[in-house]
Amino acid sequence: MAVNLSKGQKISLDKGMTLALVGLGWDTNRYSGGAEFDLDASAFLLGANGKVRKDEDFIFYGNLKSADGSVTHTGDNRTGEGDGDDEAIIIDFTKIPPEIEKIAVTVTIFDAQQRNQNFGQVSNAYVRVVKIDNPDDVNGEEVIHFDLMEEFS
């Protein structure tokens, strides 16, 4: 059974987890602005100082894979159409170098400020962490679920 996170809450993952899928899903509400919403999932591989060691430790639609192969972004979805995860990041914990102490996952709206968009205009937005058996497994065991709700507008 998944843990439903609340804003600011932190938890540690099961130490036995070797592969995880971080999924991002959303639907858009039509509004007078007319521009499409493009939510983006990103991951930062952080060292002891809380910073990335190099640019390649920032995984996103423009850098789909970490140099060590531990984190892979599966690609950019610009519409949120369809069911299930719209973007995904696969983390292979067995490949993470020992100097990486934390992986921070973020969700942003592409060009949000210029398009005057915010999370309050998006429905059914969530981030989840799923324990998986292989990189192609999208139906593993969901262990964390976090809803991006109106309070993030």
Side-chain angles (χ1 to χ4, degrees):
M1 179 169 210
V3 172
N4 288 315
L5 289 180
S6 56
K7 187 175 180 180
Q9 182 180 358
K10 297 178 184 181
I11 70 164
S12 292
L13 296 175
D14 172 4
K15 301 293 185 208
M17 186 184 300
T18 58
L19 280 172
L21 175 143
V22 178
L24 163 64
W26 78 93
D27 295 317
T28 57
N29 295 332
R30 285 283 169 214
Y31 73 107
S32 59
E36 293 290 331
F37 278 78
D38 178 10
L39 273 65
D40 293 310
S42 304
F44 295 85
L45 283 66
L46 306 174
N49 63 357
K51 298 180 180 182
V52 294
R53 301 168 301 162
K54 54 191 174 204
D55 289 347
E56 293 81 13
D57 288 347
F58 171 37
I59 313 306
F60 67 113
Y61 61 85
N63 178 38
L64 295 176
K65 195 169 196 171
S66 62
D68 55 32
S70 64
V71 179
T72 303
H73 192 297
T74 61
D76 192 16
N77 178 324
R78 297 181 179 170
T79 65
E81 291 182 8
D83 293 331
D85 299 330
D86 296 308
E87 291 195 9
I89 296 172
I90 307 295
I91 302 172
D92 185 340
F93 294 104
T94 66
K95 294 181 180 178
I96 296 175
E99 57 271 13
I100 298 300
E101 293 195 3
K102 183 186 296 187
I103 299 174
V105 175
T106 63
V107 177
T108 56
I109 301 174
F110 182 76
D111 280 345
Q113 195 168 20
Q114 295 87 337
R115 296 176 179 181
N116 199 29
Q117 295 175 338
N118 62 61
F119 285 104
Q121 298 165 318
V122 180
S123 43
N124 305 321
Y126 66 86
V127 178
R128 68 189 191 124
V129 176
V130 180
K131 182 178 181 178
I132 58 176
D133 294 326
N134 63 69
D136 298 320
D137 180 8
V138 295
N139 298 312
E141 175 191 353
E142 184 174 286
V143 293
I144 300 172
H145 189 96
F146 185 74
D147 289 317
L148 298 167
M149 300 175 293
E150 179 73 30
E151 64 190 73
F152 295 100
S153 61

